[in-house]
Amino acid sequence: MESYYLFSSGKLERKDNVIRLTRQDGKFKDLKIELTRDIYLFGEVSLNTKCLNYLAQKKIPLHVFNYYGNYSGSFYPRECNVSGELLINQVRTNLDENKRLQLAQKFVLGASQNILRNLKYYQRRKRNVSEQIKTITALMKDIDRTSAVDVLMGIEGEIHRNYYSAWEDIFEQKTDFISRVRRPPDNMINTLISFLNMMMYSSCLSEIYVSQLNPTISYLHSVSERRFSLCLDLSEIFKPLVVDRLIFSLVNKKIVSKDSFEQGSNGCYMKKATILKVTKAYDEYLRKTIMHRTLRRKVSYRHLIRLECYKLIKDLMGEQEYMPFKIWW
């Protein structure tokens, strides 16, 4: 199964048993619908209900990004893998303050462990990140002691603040990155974080779709904060592995630089060629494989997200306690 990233402007429509993107110059590309996992739209594309109905029939989510590379929304087909029992357990766990807190703590713990793994990697390469490692290690001891999700979110914020303060020592070129700025991002690093975080949210949504989980019911993030808030929970664990490591690689290998970005009224944003370059690198990163310790076979980074969904389902069904994914390599 493949993800399609469409950058050309034109018309997306059903043509017999394929989805066709017809560009403004008349050229077209047919998507192999039976091998399509999801579609990402970056160009100015028009489509009709016939196309959307066909995507729904084939169970293919569609993610839309605007001119600046900001996530606009997703077309989420009618769920086909449904389980009333799982849905009840998802809701019941969310309403049970103790059980919700326990799961939320696991998400923060998994994210923190993976953050430390990144920092220790660069510590071995003589980067000055020892102070951040010490502080984050101390903060992690408070995760299990929290009595409410709001308090836990405060600890999670402090961990990320210390983590980001180490990035300037990780980068091999000057980036002017001091702290996380979101709306709008003010420099190239914040722009990369915002864009790749949104790509990760979309990837998590696509993987949740093939499971029986409901993406609107979450545990760390409030269900009223975002529509698909469970994506935010799961993405916390995988952002250090995919998003952060990819940013370090893009910057240190000089694949992107300040010249790859523009400053405008909407803050700092990527040039069109940069969006294409970063998206290609993201897709290639998700295709990377590792030998899974439990399954004893190679699995892709993307498949690790799906496995995390299944682990969460087992916990919600009372079969096996959920343990967050931890980078071991």
Side-chain angles (χ1 to χ4, degrees), residues 4-9 38-45 62-75 191 193-203 205-206 270 272 275 279 282:
Y4 282 95
Y5 305 87
L6 305 181
F7 292 87
S8 300
S9 296
D38 48 15
I39 299 173
Y40 294 74
L41 293 183
F42 293 92
E44 294 183 9
V45 176
L62 177 74
H63 308 295
V64 182
F65 292 76
N66 67 14
Y67 175 84
Y68 299 102
N70 297 323
Y71 175 74
S72 297
S74 295
F75 169 69
T191 300
I193 295 173
S194 294
F195 177 74
L196 288 170
N197 279 354
M198 287 299 169
M199 293 294 286
M200 176 54 65
Y201 299 151
S202 302
S203 297
L205 180 60
S206 294
M270 290 184 285
K272 280 293 184 182
I275 295 177
T279 303
Y282 174 79

Side-chain angles (χ1 to χ4, degrees), residues 87-212:
L87 178 59
I88 291 171
N89 287 344
Q90 253 192 283
V91 175
R92 183 182 290 138
T93 301
N94 177 274
L95 296 177
D96 187 315
E97 292 184 4
N98 290 329
K99 290 183 178 179
R100 178 189 172 189
L101 179 61
Q102 288 171 7
L103 274 181
Q105 289 170 337
K106 296 287 180 62
F107 288 127
V108 176
L109 177 63
S112 302
Q113 290 172 335
N114 293 334
I115 281 172
L116 275 182
R117 192 73 174 178
N118 284 351
L119 291 178
K120 289 178 179 179
Y121 172 86
Y122 284 99
Q123 183 186 45
R124 293 192 296 270
R125 281 150 183 77
K126 312 302 181 183
R127 305 299 170 85
N128 185 25
V129 296
S130 299
E131 192 61 36
Q132 286 87 354
I133 291 175
K134 180 180 177 181
T135 302
I136 292 173
T137 302
L139 286 167
M140 286 175 63
K141 295 178 181 178
D142 293 329
I143 292 175
D144 289 336
R145 301 172 187 166
T146 52
S147 57
V149 174
D150 289 345
V151 177
L152 180 64
M153 288 289 284
I155 295 174
E156 187 259 354
E158 272 298 299
I159 289 172
H160 273 90
R161 187 183 66 80
N162 281 275
Y163 178 45
Y164 287 135
S165 71
W167 281 30
E168 197 62 24
D169 289 305
I170 291 174
F171 293 131
E172 296 176 1
Q173 59 174 291
K174 187 172 178 57
T175 62
D176 299 325
F177 178 72
I178 300 173
S179 61
R180 183 76 174 100
V181 178
R182 291 174 174 80
R183 300 182 182 88
D186 60 348
N187 57 45
M188 61 178 280
I189 302 302
N190 276 310
T191 300
L192 284 172
I193 295 173
S194 294
F195 177 74
L196 288 170
N197 279 354
M198 287 299 169
M199 293 294 286
M200 176 54 65
Y201 299 151
S202 302
S203 297
C204 286
L205 180 60
S206 294
E207 296 305 320
I208 289 172
Y209 178 69
V210 299
S211 75
Q212 294 178 315

Side-chain angles (χ1 to χ4, degrees), residues 226-240:
R226 303 274 181 96
R227 183 180 180 187
F228 298 126
S229 50
L230 186 59
C231 302
L232 306 184
D233 286 3
L234 288 175
S235 66
E236 291 296 331
I237 296 171
F238 292 98
K239 284 190 289 187

